[in-house]
Amino acid sequence: MDEEKMDRDLEGLAVFRPLQKVTGVKAQQEFRLKPTQTILLSFVLMIGIGTILLMLPISSARETSLPFIDALFVSTSASCVTGLTVVDVKNDLSFFGKCVMIMLIQVGGLGIMTLGTMAVHAMGYRFRLRESLTLQESLGQSGRSGLFELIRRMIKYTLAVEGFFALLLTVHFIPEFGFDAIGYGIFHAVSAFCNAGFDLFGNYDSLCKRQDDIFLLAGIGLSIILGGIGFTVMHDVMHRRKWHRFSLHTKIVLAVNSVLIVGGTLLIFGVESRYDGVLVGMPLAEQLANSAFMSVSCRTAGFNSFDIAASTQVTKFAMIILMFIGASPLSTGGGIKCTTIFVLLRSVWAIFRGENEVTVFGRTISTRARNQAFAIFTVGTLWVVTMGILLAVVDGETNDLGRVIFETVSAFGTVGMGIGITSEWDEWGKVLLCLTMLLGRVGIMTFLLSLIQQRQSIVKYPKEEIMLG
């Protein structure tokens, strides 16, 4: 291989090549981005474009355009499919602004790398090794085999699920909204499947005034579940169909999701249907439907069918835990992921039992996966605690710490469930939440690896035991 061909193979992604032509500089080490850095910058670029578009007068339904900090916050929330907002989407944004929102949600849910890949691949572009590594990193894959087939399946499943629920919701909304039901159906289908939690009902009410609409809760809830379990799990279930043929990843995701959904439903129902809970006075069917919907939605979607601020402390605490865990890998949701918490708890149990290996469903979980689970949980906890402290300072003792932590975890898990205090914070509070949403969407490992230079030390030091516990 000659030197010129080697330089071509080591160039960065196509989006950065014009810079080399302008400067006349070859792709040296300082101009190359790690795959994780490219992923992070792709989201930053998308957020920047969304901010500019939302600041345009044509995006606002008011006489004045959105201020920069509000446009930045909403663009970040939509791109990271979070759902936290400081504007009323229905009343503050024009038709153009709503279209910008739904595009940011769709691209953010699938990932800009995924959509960009399919676009250039369809035009016949041949990906080089470094670009393939970036795609692998963005999709959490360990090899190049079947990479483009996976991306095609992701887009196919997304269009199929969103199209089905858009049609279903459109028919359901026709008696209320007439011709506008098409827009309502499409917007809420995309927002639900991408686990974004934005709605067009106005006044920051989400689904609170529709808590008796069991059909709507069931439709949006099912769409949230499909978006949250991940594309590989959907493919596994559709094609392998039998439990013993599923991959270990699929088995863990289905098992953990079932436990969290059922457990969350029973806890919310048991607490909020008694005494002065928010479900008191509803028929039993509506109590169960709202409990199940909130258990599903608070994992990563952000729609709410009752006033969270009025719920009990037990319910809020349970929601914080569910939001922190989040959805599944390679899904449209955030959080530390359900597989992470499973591997973490199973590893702790193995330590107490004196087991050398961690086995699940007849398979052994690798040491690398166990180490990553501990790292993700630790860094996620440290980030939430740090941001919680900083946001408490920004809050200035206006709200109690529980409300601040709830808002922080909601941003970290890209959930978007709020207690209504986000809009009260100044620019610093909104910037901190933007950073938290970005980290929650791109993933802790991707975020940190994009900032930290990895090195392999050739020096080996002697081992020495220390006391723990």
Side-chain angles (χ1 to χ4, degrees):
M1 182 183 294
D2 57 72
E3 184 178 349
E4 183 180 354
K5 189 173 186 301
M6 183 180 295
D7 284 340
R8 288 201 307 270
D9 288 341
L10 292 177
E11 285 178 354
L13 288 174
V15 68
F16 297 104
R17 287 178 194 142
L19 177 62
Q20 299 165 12
K21 295 179 180 179
V22 173
T23 59
V25 180
K26 285 188 177 182
Q28 302 298 326
Q29 182 67 30
E30 60 268 24
F31 290 102
R32 296 191 205 117
L33 293 173
K34 295 191 297 183
T36 51
Q37 292 173 330
T38 304
I39 297 167
L40 181 61
L41 285 178
S42 69
F43 273 93
V44 172
L45 178 64
M46 179 169 60
I47 291 170
I49 293 174
T51 301
I52 293 172
L53 292 176
L54 289 174
M55 288 179 65
L56 297 176
I58 193 176
S59 294
S60 177
R62 307 293 185 183
E63 295 181 356
T64 58
S65 57
L66 287 181
F68 168 75
I69 190 62
D70 289 346
L72 173 65
F73 188 90
V74 174
S75 177
T76 303
S77 185
S79 301
C80 298
V81 290
T82 303
L84 285 175
T85 181
V86 291
V87 302
D88 187 333
V89 177
K90 177 183 180 180
N91 299 314
D92 292 341
L93 296 182
S94 65
F95 176 78
F96 178 81
K98 294 181 179 71
C99 289
V100 171
M101 287 283 292
I102 203 64
M103 289 301 298
L104 291 175
I105 292 170
Q106 185 70 88
V107 176
L110 279 172
I112 189 171
M113 298 293 298
T114 302
L115 296 177
T117 295
M118 286 308 299
V120 297
H121 185 63
M123 292 186 290
Y125 179 79
R126 297 183 63 183
F127 284 78
R128 294 168 176 155
L129 176 61
R130 189 174 183 83
E131 296 164 350
S132 296
L133 290 174
T134 302
L135 294 176
Q136 289 173 215
E137 190 74 37
S138 68
L139 297 174
Q141 301 299 296
S142 57
R144 300 174 63 186
S145 177
L147 194 61
F148 295 106
E149 178 58 31
L150 172 62
I151 295 175
R152 276 193 289 269
R153 287 203 304 263
M154 290 172 61
I155 296 176
K156 180 177 69 175
Y157 291 153
T158 298
L159 294 178
V161 174
E162 290 180 352
F164 173 77
F165 282 101
L167 179 61
L168 206 65
L169 293 176
T170 296
V171 173
H172 184 68
F173 286 141
I174 284 177
E176 182 178 359
F177 298 109
F179 182 76
D180 291 339
I182 298 175
Y184 276 80
I186 294 174
F187 189 96
H188 291 98
V190 173
S191 182
F193 181 76
C194 290
N195 281 214
F198 288 99
D199 68 90
L200 294 179
F201 301 123
N203 302 315
Y204 305 99
D205 289 328
S206 192
L207 305 183
C208 290
K209 294 182 179 179
R210 299 168 185 272
Q211 56 188 202
D212 59 342
D213 191 342
I214 297 180
F215 182 88
L216 178 63
L217 297 180
I220 291 181
L222 183 56
S223 183
I224 291 169
I225 292 174
L226 292 176
I229 62 175
F231 297 100
T232 55
V233 175
M234 278 196 287
H235 181 74
D236 231 11
V237 171
M238 291 179 62
H239 292 273
R240 297 186 178 181
R241 298 181 182 178
K242 295 183 179 180
W243 178 265
H244 69 274
R245 297 177 61 187
F246 291 162
S247 66
L248 177 61
H249 172 80
T250 297
K251 290 179 179 179
I252 292 176
V253 167
L254 293 178
V256 175
N257 271 276
S258 299
V259 170
L260 292 177
I261 291 173
V262 173
T265 299
L266 293 177
L267 189 148
I268 294 173
F269 173 75
V271 173
E272 297 299 334
S273 62
R274 301 179 60 190
Y275 308 117
D276 57 347
V278 293
L279 299 180
V280 172
M282 293 183 186
L284 179 60
E286 290 182 17
Q287 289 181 339
L288 291 172
N290 280 269
S291 299
F293 180 80
M294 291 298 286
S295 178
V296 168
S297 185
C298 73
R299 289 271 304 288
T300 185
F303 292 100
N304 57 288
S305 60
F306 58 69
D307 185 3
I308 300 173
S311 63
T312 63
Q313 296 295 329
V314 174
T315 297
K316 293 189 186 77
F317 186 69
M319 287 182 174
I320 288 175
I321 295 175
L322 292 173
M323 290 190 297
F324 185 73
I325 294 173
S328 309
L330 200 60
S331 70
T332 58
I336 64 171
K337 304 298 188 293
C338 64
T339 49
T340 300
I341 198 67
F342 178 86
V343 172
L344 181 72
L345 295 177
R346 183 63 185 85
S347 299
V348 171
W349 181 245
I351 292 173
F352 288 141
R353 287 176 56 89
E355 299 172 352
N356 295 324
E357 292 184 337
V358 177
T359 57
V360 182
F361 299 121
R363 295 291 186 270
T364 300
I365 298 176
S366 68
T367 303
R368 178 176 178 272
R370 292 160 60 184
N371 291 338
Q372 281 190 343
F374 278 99
I376 291 171
F377 177 82
T378 302
V379 175
T381 302
L382 290 174
W383 183 276
V384 168
V385 171
T386 303
M387 288 298 108
I389 293 173
L390 293 176
L391 287 170
V393 173
V394 171
D395 184 71
E397 302 293 330
T398 303
N399 298 281
D400 60 70
L401 184 60
R403 287 171 169 255
V404 175
I405 294 297
F406 191 99
E407 215 82 1
T408 305
V409 177
S410 180
F412 172 79
T414 67
V415 181
M417 271 188 184
I419 306 184
I421 63 176
T422 302
S423 57
E424 299 175 4
W425 288 337
D426 60 16
E427 289 81 0
W428 286 108
K430 293 172 184 176
V431 169
L432 291 174
L433 282 180
C434 284
L435 288 174
T436 303
M437 288 188 285
L438 180 61
L439 178 139
R441 183 64 188 99
V442 301
I444 296 172
M445 296 299 291
T446 300
F447 187 84
L448 291 182
L449 290 176
S450 66
L451 304 177
I452 299 173
Q453 184 67 39
Q454 290 184 298
R455 296 177 182 176
Q456 293 291 337
S457 176
I458 61 175
V459 179
K460 301 295 182 182
Y461 296 95
K463 296 180 180 179
E464 183 174 347
E465 295 294 331
I466 62 173
M467 292 183 290
L468 299 172

